[in-house]
Amino acid sequence: MTRQRGDRRILPAVAVVASAAAMVILALRLDPATLDYGAGTVPVVVPWLAAVAAIVLAVVGLTPLATSVGGTALVAVGVITTGWSISTLLFDALRAVQLVPLPLSGWGLGLRLLLLLGAAAALHPVLHARASTRGRCPTCGRWRPGTLARLPLWPVAVGLVFALPYPVMRISWILGGTLGTTGGPVDADRTLQLVMAGAGVVLVALATVLLIDRGPSWLRVVLGFGGLIAGAGLCATFGPAAVGVASMLLAPGAGMPPAAGLMPWVFLVFYGSWFVAGIGVALGGLRYWTHRRYDCAACRDLRA
């Protein structure tokens, strides 16, 4: 019993330590530019809220409040603030492999990784506590499906539709098309264009698999969890970016000059479509993951 109690406290302890370390970085490096958050993309108060929410959630996860309405609200606050705080993590990865020719902020990357670790470690015990209230299937021994297993399929279809513009336009440019360009060739290496178009095709393929909703349990775990992470990353990264571009295009007297040989509206289409596609893929991944019940006739029909 003592060992089980100690095991239950490991993840909350990790969450507290990681979040406290993130707060130290925030206290030492208050300049948003140093943290690589850009001009107003992520207000500096948001990472503070994410760190505090993770610490509180780590404590709540060890109490009966984990399954209460307040616990649910705290989970929502933690997910939103953490997702917003790590919204540039994808750009960090692109800069690390030099696909984006901008300097990488070590402080900012470290902060975002600590916030992600803290939130994940704090969230797991809460989700486990909520699952335990549903009981286990007497046949397969797994937790019975809950509310998330009733997610509809139509958001995945919407995500698939919005995942198409990026690879379609990229492929058209590779083939010599000029839609959305300033009239000349796109200012990017051909190999890089192929890689970026391939990434768009992979996203479309993932959304298609999630929409078809077939596959063995192991594939549902891999693609479901992968879709959830990828979709959430797209939402957190390109939602603020789409809002920023839209504000520049719609502000009176303001304007956005062409960049990389592309018209400004192309960036709005790309960022906006990635944001919507991210929502669909994230929900589709969660749905695909929670529907891994085809090998158990006793609980697979409890999904709906």
Side-chain angles (χ1 to χ4, degrees):
M1 179 68 70
T2 303
R3 182 176 180 181
Q4 290 180 348
R5 198 172 286 175
D7 291 342
R8 289 180 58 234
R9 293 175 179 173
I10 291 177
L11 285 178
V14 171
V16 171
V17 172
S19 300
M23 295 173 75
V24 170
I25 294 178
L26 286 168
L28 295 176
R29 299 279 179 170
L30 292 176
D31 183 9
T34 303
L35 298 177
D36 200 17
Y37 275 142
T41 305
V42 181
V44 73
V45 69
V46 176
W48 278 103
L49 292 176
V52 171
I55 293 175
V56 176
L57 194 60
V59 176
V60 168
L62 298 175
T63 69
L65 292 175
T67 58
S68 66
V69 176
T72 302
L74 187 58
V75 168
V77 171
V79 169
I80 292 172
T81 54
T82 302
W84 195 356
S85 299
I86 65 173
S87 60
T88 56
L89 200 55
L90 178 59
F91 287 120
D92 290 333
L94 294 176
R95 291 172 183 177
V97 297
Q98 297 183 344
L99 286 179
V100 173
L102 293 173
L104 176 66
S105 168
W107 284 104
L109 176 60
L111 172 64
R112 287 182 278 279
L113 291 177
L114 286 171
L115 290 174
L116 179 60
L117 174 61
L123 190 60
H124 183 273
V126 176
L127 296 180
H128 185 273
R130 298 179 71 86
S132 64
T133 61
R134 300 194 300 268
R136 293 185 179 273
C137 172
T139 302
C140 68
R142 291 175 291 193
W143 297 118
R144 292 177 179 271
T147 305
L148 292 178
R150 301 180 178 88
L151 288 172
L153 196 58
W154 65 263
V156 192
V158 174
L160 174 59
V161 171
F162 277 86
L164 289 172
Y166 182 77
V168 168
M169 294 188 73
R170 279 288 176 188
I171 292 173
S172 72
W173 295 335
I174 293 173
L175 297 177
T178 58
L179 176 64
T181 70
T182 55
V186 177
D187 185 15
D189 180 75
R190 185 175 179 83
T191 302
L192 179 58
Q193 290 192 54
L194 289 172
V195 171
M196 298 172 78
V201 171
V202 169
L203 181 63
V204 171
L206 175 60
T208 302
V209 173
L210 299 180
L211 181 62
I212 294 174
D213 195 24
R214 293 289 184 271
S217 295
W218 67 266
L219 184 64
R220 289 180 173 274
V221 172
V222 173
L223 293 187
F225 187 69
L228 175 60
I229 296 299
L234 288 173
C235 291
T237 302
F238 295 107
V243 173
V245 173
S247 63
M248 286 189 289
L249 291 176
L250 299 177
M256 180 178 173
L262 302 177
M263 298 299 293
W265 63 264
V266 173
F267 294 96
L268 179 60
V269 171
F270 282 174
Y271 295 162
S273 64
W274 282 336
F275 173 66
V276 178
I279 295 176
V281 170
L283 293 177
L286 184 58
R287 185 181 190 277
Y288 197 70
W289 186 17
T290 56
H291 284 197
R292 56 189 189 280
R293 302 286 178 150
Y294 287 106
D295 57 345
C296 179
C299 67
R300 68 184 179 194
D301 293 330
L302 297 176
R303 295 170 299 161

